[in-house]
Each structure stands twice: as structure tokens, then as C-alpha cells.
Amino acid sequence: MSLPPDDRSPEPPAAPPRGRLRWAVVVTLASVLVGAVVGFVAFLAQLHGVETQPARNADGIVVLTGGSSRVSDAMELLAGGYGKRLLISGVHPTSAASDISRTLPDNQSLLRCCVDLDYSAINTRSNAAETRRWARERGFKSLIVVTSNYHMPRAIAEMSHAMPDITLIPFAVVGDKWRDEPWWSSGATFRLLLSEYAKYVAVEVRVRLADLGFDLVPEWSDQPTGSLPQRPATAQAN
């Protein structure tokens, strides 16, 4: 005697318990937090606490504006023969060569002969693009990069991506505040480092994606010719 067919539809699989889902979320967030902390520690390990002279000379020197004593330190390197020419990248449009001359009265001859001003760059990425153009026009194969210690990792990441064929030698400028007190004792310095670390991570992600062929934000050089900013000016006619 045959059994009647079972008309009952199969029951849907049971939903995962809330506790398991909550545990997965906690583990994921904890992993992200640990990764961020480890990355921040690695970022801090790259920052120099004292200024050291470059290990070697270079064809040129580039200084990125935005921090105290960056330009004066770069001029000292130029005066010391560490490079043939200096590019001051990111000069404010309202600043003139005469304004820089007044702040560096002891380097008038160098300013007249060996310094170029870049008025176009507005951020670190455009600093790298303008530096690449300047270096290639001059035929330079090595550059000393001058910027603040906390900014150096991001600057080198941008410039290494923009100029893989040029040797970069970092010269990290250490500010007085950095020397006077530990970074963890100052809320302003701590926030600055966190902000810089976040920007550095963003640059590393963008650069790695670009290396894989996913360039989501084209450089100036990839934009239409009419949208390109003006070219750098020389501090004084050579």
C-alpha cells in the first residue's frame, strides 16, 4: 500500500543566530582596528626625530612649501652643494621672488641663479607632477626631497609613483615643536599625525590601484590641455 505524497513544502533554512552575526561584526571591527593601529605605528616609525644630512648629493633639490623652515633648510642644502638647482614647489600665487628674497637675505646670489618657483602645485600630488616635469626638462636623475618629517612618507609615495625612474633622497625637516615635546603629549600634534596617516593610507591605496590599472583620479598630465595650470616661473631670469 503506497503512502500518500507529502505536500508540505520544505522549510527554509534557519537564519543564523543573532549572537553569531554579532560576533562576526565584532571580530571584523576588531581586525580593522588592530590593522589601523599597527599601520599607524609603522607610519610613526618612518618619521625622523632629528635632521640628518643627505647621504649623497643629487642633481636637484625640491622643497614642498607648507611648513616652517622648509625653504630655508633647502637653501642651505643648495648652498652646501648638495644639488645644482632648487625647485620651490607650491608657492602661493600672490608671492613673488622678491618676497622670498626678503626672507633669505643671505642667499641672494643663489636665488638669482639657481632657484625655480612653481606656482601651480596645490597639493602633494600636484607637487609630484610639477617636480617630474621640472626634473625631466633639466635631465635630472636624482632629487633631494625636502619637507616636514610627518609629511615625508606621503610625499615620497606620491613622487615615487610619479617618477619611478628618478632616485629620491629624503631630507626630513623637524620642527621646533616636534623637538620640544613628545607628539603624544600634544593634542594638536596627535590630530595632525592621525590626519596625515589617513592621507598617507589613501595615497598608498590609490597608487596601488593605479599600478593595477585602476586610475580613478587622473593626474593633470592626463587632462585636456586647456585645463592644465600655468607652468612654473623662474625666480629670476638666468
Side-chain angles (χ1 to χ4, degrees):
M1 181 175 175
S2 61
L3 296 174
D6 188 357
D7 295 333
R8 292 177 302 174
S9 59
E11 295 182 1
R18 286 187 177 181
R20 187 181 304 172
L21 181 59
R22 186 181 298 111
W23 175 251
V25 171
V26 170
V27 170
T28 301
L29 293 177
S31 299
V32 171
L33 179 60
V34 170
V37 171
V38 171
F40 185 58
V41 172
F43 170 76
L44 292 175
Q46 300 181 59
L47 309 187
H48 294 280
V50 295
E51 294 180 2
T52 57
Q53 294 301 315
R56 48 165 287 194
N57 292 0
D59 294 330
I61 303 169
V62 57
V63 56
L64 312 186
T65 59
S68 61
S69 80
R70 292 184 190 179
V71 174
S72 59
D73 283 6
M75 287 298 301
E76 289 180 7
L77 293 175
L78 183 65
Y82 283 95
K84 303 171 187 175
R85 292 192 70 83
L86 168 66
L87 173 66
I88 304 177
S89 181
V91 178
H92 194 276
T94 61
S95 299
S98 57
D99 299 324
I100 297 176
S101 298
R102 284 194 294 270
T103 62
L104 301 168
D106 297 331
N107 300 109
Q108 298 302 309
S109 60
L110 286 176
L111 284 167
R112 286 192 294 269
C113 78
C114 310
V115 176
D116 299 313
L117 304 182
D118 160 35
Y119 290 98
S120 301
I122 57 174
N123 53 34
T124 306
R125 190 180 187 189
S126 51
N127 284 141
E130 288 302 308
T131 300
R132 175 180 59 198
R133 185 199 59 75
W134 177 78
R136 288 179 177 174
E137 284 185 353
R138 299 284 180 178
F140 291 164
K141 297 299 181 183
S142 58
L143 294 174
I144 294 175
V145 180
V146 181
T147 190
S148 299
N149 58 342
Y150 61 84
H151 184 231
M152 186 63 74
R154 181 158 60 101
I156 292 298
E158 291 281 19
M159 292 197 171
S160 296
H161 178 65
M163 302 174 284
D165 56 331
I166 293 180
T167 301
L168 302 177
I169 306 163
F171 178 83
V173 177
V174 181
D176 293 336
K177 189 172 183 179
W178 187 277
R179 294 192 186 98
D180 295 341
E181 58 183 7
W183 61 266
W184 58 84
S185 66
S186 169
T189 303
F190 183 62
R191 288 191 295 272
L192 172 65
L193 290 176
L194 284 178
S195 173
E196 189 61 38
Y197 171 61
K199 294 175 184 178
Y200 169 66
V201 171
V203 168
E204 286 285 1
V205 170
R206 177 175 53 76
V207 164
R208 292 178 189 275
L209 287 176
D211 290 340
L212 295 174
F214 300 99
D215 195 356
L216 304 179
V217 185
E219 289 186 10
W220 285 348
S221 57
D222 299 327
Q223 297 176 359
T225 304
S227 65
L228 291 176
Q230 67 178 41
R231 298 177 58 178
T234 304
Q236 186 164 326
N238 295 328

